[in-house]
């Protein structure tokens, strides 16, 4: 494959960057009244509607054509075929990447290792949803005969972020037991949840593929001790279920393997919420709403697989992101959902994007010579406007923003929702337009300030503008729409990883700290030898032990 920087489209994009640098975003917008029509695209499927407006990005039609040429030169269309065909594109682990199959239907023909995966996927899904309906319908009883009112999901990373985000995002659709999430090995997280619960009415879901994840199993053992102290040893079997593939460890813990819901090696953790890792989501929402989430994601899968690139939302978002990262030097991305229920959406996308594309080595083992995945962060608007938006508007670093907004609300407070929408649109417009020194000075003097005072304040009140953003506008934040939105970002990440020539589906950078933590934990035991570490780490360990004893 031709090195990325030697592709003619890459070199032409560098020239295009210099051409567009001569005009501000405000000028580009004023020069073309059809800009919104040219630089927006829509998706419709499974009842979900998504509009992508990228007209506030520093692009023109030639830019988008060159980005398309770049992706074509990286063989995007064949790569999509390989992804959906079950090829082992996770090259460092020799695995297919088949999270699309988790939202598949019987007529889909997903394969991994040359065999169909859909029979297994559908069997596990139906078994999981049958269990969900037993719990929600009151047929699954605790050891005392009480029904379940609370579920505690114990997991970390993809076993926590995705399910937690979905339950919170779809709170208006929750009708089952209350669902709580524990991930941090800091005991304050677990005890803070347990102190409000009735053991007799609590079900624990332990989510760990290997059932050996250090933080998850530490929390699981503490939760079991809490339960046994209140209800006795026999309670474990009626109050714990597992999402895992390690039946032996699950049984050793005290969980009947029949109450274990499995998944597969071709599912990465950050892509696993569609599998039995989504058990807490289904418990909160019910089977029908969980199926609607899957349907929305599946519709986006088919859109990504089949739509022309110039109307393909994941491809367009990926192309704009490549343009910003590699040609505009914008190596961060702010996620600003104007929806309080999406308060964990940015955290999930942070893992999805940064764990996938935070790589410095290409698939062939050579170091990259260009920027790869951006820093991703965010909080919901309008709260974000009173936090990091000051930095976005007037800081020296330019950061693109993804705004997300629904047209309809479940709150019943339509006037407030109108105000929310106005703030979303105003912020993207303000980032685009800014406010020049002349405009500020004129406003200050019109307000009665002297020329001298206006001149003094003008630098502080001027906004450079010229800061790019995209907006995702949906009809309503319902289950199908959430599924479509999340699948949209998943496929965007895949396209960008392909362009950069990196493996988006491993995460070796997570492992080193985990490996070092185990011997350090042993060394922190009373009387244990410190082990071999650098002077800083040894000093911190020794001081920590001293503070424990004072």
């Amino acid at each position: 494959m031709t090195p990325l920087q030697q592709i003619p489209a890459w070199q032409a994009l560098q020239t295009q960057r210099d051409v567009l640098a001569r005009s501000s975003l405000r000028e580009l917008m004023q020069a073309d009244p059809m800009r919104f029509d040219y630089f927006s695209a829509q998706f419709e499927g499974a009842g979900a509607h998504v509009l992508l407006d990228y007209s506030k990005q520093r692009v023109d039609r030639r830019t988008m054509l060159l980005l398309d040429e770049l992706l074509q030169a990286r063989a995007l269309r064949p790569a999509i075929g390989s992804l959906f065909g079950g090829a082992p594109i996770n090259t460092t682990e020799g695995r297919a990447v088949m999270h699309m199959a988790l939202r598949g239907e019987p007529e889909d023909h997903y394969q991994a290792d040359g065999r169909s995966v859909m029979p297994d996927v559908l069997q596990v899904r139906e078994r999981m949803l049958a269990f969900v309906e037993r719990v929600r319908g009151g047929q699954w009883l605790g050891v005392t005969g009480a029904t379940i009112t609370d579920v505690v999901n114990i997991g970390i990373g993809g076993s926590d972020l995705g399910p937690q985000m979905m339950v919170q995002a779809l709170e208006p659709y929750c009708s089952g037991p209350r669902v709580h999430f524990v991930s941090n090995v800091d005991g304050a997280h677990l005890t803070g949840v347990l102190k409000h619960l009735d053991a007799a009415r609590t079900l624990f879901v332990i989510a760990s593929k290997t059932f050996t994840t250090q933080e998850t199993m530490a929390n699981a053992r503490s939760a079991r001790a809490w339960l046994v102290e209140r209800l006795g040893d026999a309670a474990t079997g009626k109050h714990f279920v597992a999402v895992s593939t390690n039946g032996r460890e699950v049984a050793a813990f005290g969980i009947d393997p029949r109450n274990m819901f499995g998944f597969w090696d071709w599912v990465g953790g950050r892509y696993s919420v569609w599998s039995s890792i989504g058990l807490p989501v289904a418990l909160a929402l019910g089977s029908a709403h969980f199926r609607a989430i899957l349907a929305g994601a599946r519709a986006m899968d088919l859109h990504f697989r089949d739509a022309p690139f110039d109307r393909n939302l994941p491809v367009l978002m990926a192309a704009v992101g490549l343009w910003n990262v590699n040609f505009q030097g914008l190596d961060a991305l702010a996620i600003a959902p104007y929806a309080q229920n999406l308060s964990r959406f940015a955290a999930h996308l942070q893992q999805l994007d940064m764990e996938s594309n935070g790589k410095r080595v290409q698939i062939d083992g050579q170091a990259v010579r260009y920027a790869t995945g951006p820093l991703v962060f965010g909080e919901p608007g309008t709260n974000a406007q009173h936090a990091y938006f000051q930095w976005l508007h007037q800081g020296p670093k330019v950061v693109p923003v993804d705004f997300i907004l629904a047209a309809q609300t479940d709150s019943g407070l339509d006037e407030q929702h109108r105000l929310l929408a106005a703030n979303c649109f105003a912020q993207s417009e303000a980032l685009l337009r800014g406010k020049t020194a002349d405009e500020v000075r004129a406003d200050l003097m019109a307000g009665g300030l002297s020329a001298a005072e206006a001149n003094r304040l003008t630098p502080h009140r001027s906004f450079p503008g010229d800061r790019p953003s995209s907006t995702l506008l949906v009809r309503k934040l319902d289950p199908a729409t959430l599924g479509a939105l999340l699948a949209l970002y998943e496929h965007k990440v895949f396209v960008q990883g392909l362009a950069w020539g990196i493996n988006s589906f491993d995460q070796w950078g997570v492992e080193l700290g985990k490996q070092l933590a185990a011997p350090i934990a042993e060394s922190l035991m009373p009387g244990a030898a410190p082990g071999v570490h650098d002077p800083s780490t040894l000093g911190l360990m020794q001081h920590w032990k001293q503070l424990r004893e004072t």
Side-chain angles (χ1 to χ4, degrees):
M1 182 179 288
T2 304
L4 182 58
Q5 292 168 303
Q6 294 179 21
I7 294 173
W10 177 284
Q11 297 166 356
L13 283 163
Q14 291 179 312
T15 301
Q16 184 67 5
R17 172 194 59 205
D18 298 335
V19 170
L20 286 178
R22 299 168 192 161
S23 301
S24 68
L25 283 170
R26 184 194 281 203
E27 290 168 339
L28 291 173
M29 192 68 72
Q30 290 171 341
D32 187 357
M34 299 295 292
R35 189 171 172 82
F36 175 82
D37 299 286
Y38 291 135
F39 302 118
S40 65
Q42 298 184 44
F43 157 85
E44 196 88 36
H49 174 91
V50 182
L51 166 76
L52 167 64
D53 168 29
Y54 59 102
S55 61
K56 292 187 176 78
Q57 297 284 346
R58 187 185 295 280
V59 296
D60 61 9
R61 275 172 274 188
R62 175 163 171 74
T63 308
M64 298 309 297
L65 286 172
L66 289 171
L67 288 165
D68 181 78
E69 288 181 22
L70 182 69
L71 292 174
Q72 296 282 9
R74 298 302 264 182
L76 175 56
R77 183 63 72 187
I80 293 173
S82 296
L83 172 70
F84 280 81
I89 62 173
N90 179 352
T91 53
T92 64
E93 297 176 293
R95 295 174 181 169
V97 177
M98 291 302 301
H99 47 276
M100 302 82 61
L102 300 173
R103 49 247 191 177
E105 292 297 334
E107 63 266 29
D108 297 321
H109 301 288
Y110 291 115
Q111 296 186 352
D113 299 322
R115 63 180 292 269
S116 174
V117 301
M118 289 312 301
D120 287 346
V121 168
L122 295 171
Q123 188 271 334
V124 171
R125 183 191 300 168
E126 295 309 314
R127 192 167 71 85
M128 180 187 82
L129 293 181
F131 171 77
V132 163
E133 294 311 312
R134 287 181 66 198
V135 174
R136 288 170 56 89
Q139 287 82 47
W140 178 280
L141 303 177
V143 71
T144 68
T147 56
I148 299 300
T149 59
D150 292 87
V151 173
V152 180
N153 186 80
I154 298 179
I156 198 166
S159 301
D160 168 77
L161 284 167
Q164 184 180 171
M165 177 274 292
M166 280 191 172
V167 170
Q168 193 166 32
L170 297 173
E171 187 278 332
Y173 298 86
C174 292
S175 59
R178 294 178 294 269
V179 178
H180 316 269
F181 292 88
V182 173
S183 56
N184 200 325
V185 75
D186 183 345
H189 199 180
L190 179 64
T191 57
V193 169
L194 295 183
K195 68 182 180 182
H196 299 294
L197 302 184
D198 177 358
R201 294 182 176 274
T202 299
L203 175 70
F204 293 91
V205 177
I206 311 303
S208 171
K209 180 183 285 189
T210 62
F211 227 67
T212 58
T213 307
Q214 188 179 56
E215 303 97 326
T216 297
M217 297 317 299
N219 278 321
R221 288 188 291 270
S222 294
R224 182 180 59 187
W226 175 85
L227 183 79
V228 167
E229 181 182 354
R230 288 156 178 78
L231 300 178
D233 290 332
T236 301
K238 296 297 292 181
H239 291 264
F240 279 80
V241 298
V243 178
S244 181
T245 59
N246 191 339
R248 184 163 61 180
E249 288 295 329
V250 167
F253 186 87
I255 299 173
D256 188 334
R258 291 176 297 180
N259 297 327
M260 181 183 85
F261 303 93
F263 50 112
W264 302 271
D265 283 342
W266 41 259
V267 182
R270 55 195 175 278
Y271 298 92
S272 64
V273 68
W274 322 98
S275 71
S276 49
I277 289 293
L279 174 59
V281 181
L283 285 165
L285 298 173
S287 297
H289 288 318
F290 187 76
R291 291 184 195 276
I293 296 171
L294 301 183
R298 178 176 180 268
M300 183 60 74
D301 293 338
L302 301 181
H303 168 80
F304 173 56
R305 187 191 68 187
D306 299 333
F309 288 168
D310 62 349
R311 297 194 298 276
N312 191 308
L313 268 62
V315 174
L316 290 169
M317 285 184 68
V320 168
L322 291 168
W323 171 250
N324 284 333
V325 169
N326 296 117
F327 301 96
Q328 301 295 302
L330 308 179
D331 56 1
L333 175 65
I335 306 295
Y338 275 66
Q340 181 59 28
N341 286 345
L342 286 178
S343 59
R344 296 298 291 165
F345 193 66
H348 179 72
L349 295 187
Q350 191 174 63
Q351 185 200 25
L352 171 66
D353 202 318
M354 297 178 73
E355 195 168 84
S356 296
N357 288 344
K359 311 286 172 62
R360 55 179 289 276
V361 176
Q362 299 175 90
I363 288 174
D364 63 6
Q366 299 298 308
V368 298
R369 299 182 181 275
Y370 39 78
T372 58
L375 164 68
V376 178
F377 67 96
E379 284 289 331
T382 56
N383 291 359
Q385 295 172 198
H386 297 269
Y388 63 84
F389 268 53
Q390 163 63 41
W391 183 71
L392 293 179
H393 281 292
Q394 289 187 309
K397 185 177 180 67
V398 176
V399 175
V401 183
D402 280 0
F403 291 94
I404 304 171
L405 176 69
Q408 300 176 14
T409 178
D410 287 302
S411 71
L413 303 175
D414 285 344
E415 284 303 313
Q416 288 187 217
H417 196 67
R418 189 173 289 109
L419 180 60
L420 181 77
N423 273 272
C424 179
F425 299 146
Q427 289 296 324
S428 69
E429 185 176 34
L431 287 167
L432 167 83
R433 292 181 55 181
K435 193 167 184 178
T436 68
D438 288 343
E439 290 169 337
V440 171
R441 190 178 298 106
D443 282 353
L444 292 174
M445 293 181 69
L449 292 185
S450 67
E453 185 65 2
N455 286 333
R456 185 181 73 84
L457 293 176
T458 290
H460 301 281
R461 299 196 180 189
S462 298
F463 293 75
D466 211 27
R467 303 193 168 202
S469 68
S470 296
T471 298
L472 290 164
L473 182 59
V474 304
R475 181 183 296 112
K476 188 176 184 180
L477 185 57
D478 57 20
T481 300
L482 182 65
L485 279 175
L486 185 49
L488 166 59
Y489 276 96
E490 288 179 350
H491 294 313
K492 182 204 85 163
V493 165
F494 165 74
V495 174
Q496 291 181 331
L498 173 77
W500 289 319
I502 58 180
N503 182 0
S504 297
F505 301 105
D506 60 11
Q507 56 279 335
W508 299 109
V510 177
E511 299 301 319
L512 179 57
K514 291 164 62 175
Q515 293 169 3
L516 295 176
I520 289 177
E522 292 292 328
S523 298
L524 292 176
M525 295 290 290
V532 179
H533 302 282
D534 63 87
S536 171
T537 302
L538 286 171
L540 289 168
M541 292 166 62
Q542 182 179 8
H543 199 71
W544 185 85
K545 282 188 169 184
Q546 291 171 351
L547 290 174
R548 296 267 289 178
E549 297 167 359
T550 58

